[in-house]
């Protein structure tokens, strides 16, 4: 029952917002009493923390699956970008913005978990890229990995990048190219240029088919 409550609550919180959804709403949606929910979660805040961690672990598993595909480091980053774009575009409200505004303690916990997981993934990506001759061998992996994490987080800052001016797809595309052009060798840059050109051709074909 606890897992069912977390799953249903996650769905409601992501679709309607953490502040909008009440314990009564969750109980009514599940056809159970509010008392049953309180048997597992003392407060709504405790439930929100559980759902945030549950969703984070679910996303982490999806990203881990990308790393098992044995793609080259540049291709790997593009696949992760595509996953993030698809995931974020399906959200009606920004969960991270809501957590930061209304539940800062949970936001801090989640950000630390994100850092630990992403730090490990990015360092691995950088080291493999260096070993394969795609990234420069004089990179300070520790510094670059932290820059990558913090800059990626900044893209979600509504004040810095208002959604009425920048799309998530646009921000992620520009950021990934910016990141890679700063660390790639000539070999890596050639591979990057081919990847960008292929994406451009694919997008043009999609637009043509839509018009037709």
């Amino acid at each position: 029952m606890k897992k069912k409550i977390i799953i249903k609550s996650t769905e409601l919180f992501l679709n309607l917002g953490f502040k909008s959804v009440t314990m009564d709403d969750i109980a009514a949606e599940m056809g159970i009493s509010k008392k049953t929910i309180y048997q597992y979660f003392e407060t709504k805040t405790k439930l929100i923390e559980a759902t945030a961690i549950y969703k984070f672990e679910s996303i982490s598993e999806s990203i881990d699956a990308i790393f098992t595909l044995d793609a080259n480091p540049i291709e790997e980053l593009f696949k992760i970008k595509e996953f993030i774009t698809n995931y974020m575009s399906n959200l009606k409200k920004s969960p991270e913005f809501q957590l930061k505004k209304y539940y800062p303690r949970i936001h801090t916990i989640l950000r630390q978990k994100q850092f630990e997981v992403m730090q490990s993934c990015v360092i691995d990506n950088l080291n493999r890229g260096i070993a394969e001759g795609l990234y420069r061998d004089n990179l300070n992996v520790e510094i670059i990995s932290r820059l990558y994490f913090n800059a990626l987080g900044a893209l979600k800052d509504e004040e810095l990048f208002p959604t009425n001016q920048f799309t998530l797809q646009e921000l992620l595309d520009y950021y990934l190219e910016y990141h890679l052009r700063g660390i790639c060798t000539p070999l890596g840059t050639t591979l990057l240029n081919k990847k960008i050109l292929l994406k451009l051709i694919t997008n043009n074909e999609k637009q043509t088919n839509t018009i037709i």
Side-chain angles (χ1 to χ4, degrees):
M1 177 57 73
K2 183 177 181 179
K3 185 66 174 291
K4 290 181 179 179
I5 293 172
I6 290 175
I7 293 174
K8 175 52 69 174
S9 299
T10 300
E11 177 188 327
L12 293 173
F13 287 144
L14 291 180
N15 287 329
L16 303 174
F18 292 108
K19 292 290 287 186
S20 301
V21 177
T22 66
M23 298 294 251
D24 286 314
D25 293 331
I26 297 170
E29 189 73 20
M30 296 187 68
I32 60 177
S33 68
K34 187 165 63 173
K35 183 178 179 181
T36 300
I37 299 177
Y38 281 118
Q39 288 178 354
Y40 299 97
F41 304 98
E42 297 176 2
T43 63
K44 179 183 173 181
T45 301
K46 290 285 187 182
L47 176 56
I48 288 175
E49 182 176 345
T51 59
I53 292 174
Y54 165 75
K55 194 60 186 178
F56 165 75
E57 291 176 345
S58 175
I59 293 172
S60 295
E61 288 177 3
S62 297
I63 292 178
D64 285 342
I66 294 175
F67 279 97
T68 64
L69 297 176
D70 293 327
N72 71 65
I74 292 176
E75 180 69 26
E76 190 173 78
L77 291 183
F78 271 90
K79 290 183 179 298
I80 291 174
K81 177 187 68 71
E82 290 166 9
F83 169 77
I84 294 174
T85 301
N86 291 332
Y87 169 71
M88 293 297 291
S89 63
N90 290 327
L91 295 178
K92 296 180 181 178
K93 297 176 179 291
S94 169
E96 189 159 348
F97 174 77
Q98 293 176 67
L99 288 176
K100 186 176 182 179
K101 183 176 181 179
Y102 302 115
Y103 303 94
R105 185 187 66 82
I106 298 175
H107 178 265
T108 299
I109 292 173
L110 202 60
R111 184 168 172 79
Q112 182 58 38
K113 287 181 175 293
Q114 290 172 343
F115 173 74
E116 291 170 358
V117 170
M118 187 174 288
Q119 180 81 341
S120 174
C121 293
V122 175
I123 285 177
D124 178 69
N125 179 276
L126 288 169
N127 284 329
R128 284 188 293 109
I130 292 171
E132 294 178 26
L134 299 175
Y135 301 158
R136 292 185 286 108
D137 59 11
N138 62 343
L139 295 178
N140 186 315
V141 171
E142 187 67 28
I143 292 177
I144 296 298
S145 63
R146 289 169 185 265
L147 287 173
Y148 181 85
F149 173 78
N150 281 285
L152 194 60
L155 299 183
K156 294 176 283 186
D157 188 327
E158 176 65 25
E159 294 183 359
L160 192 59
F161 297 106
T163 53
N164 63 348
Q165 189 175 350
F166 305 100
T167 66
L168 177 66
Q169 176 77 58
E170 180 183 22
L171 289 172
L172 288 172
D173 283 346
Y174 271 97
Y175 172 63
L176 182 56
E177 182 177 353
Y178 175 84
H179 169 71
L180 287 171
R181 290 202 184 281
I183 65 175
C184 278
T185 61
L187 176 63
T189 300
T190 298
L191 187 60
L192 172 61
N193 289 337
K194 289 180 179 179
K195 183 69 181 176
I196 293 173
L197 179 60
L198 180 60
K199 185 176 185 298
L200 183 62
I201 293 172
T202 302
N203 288 341
N204 287 339
E205 288 179 347
K206 288 181 179 178
Q207 290 177 359
T208 302
N209 291 335
T210 301
I211 294 173
I212 294 173

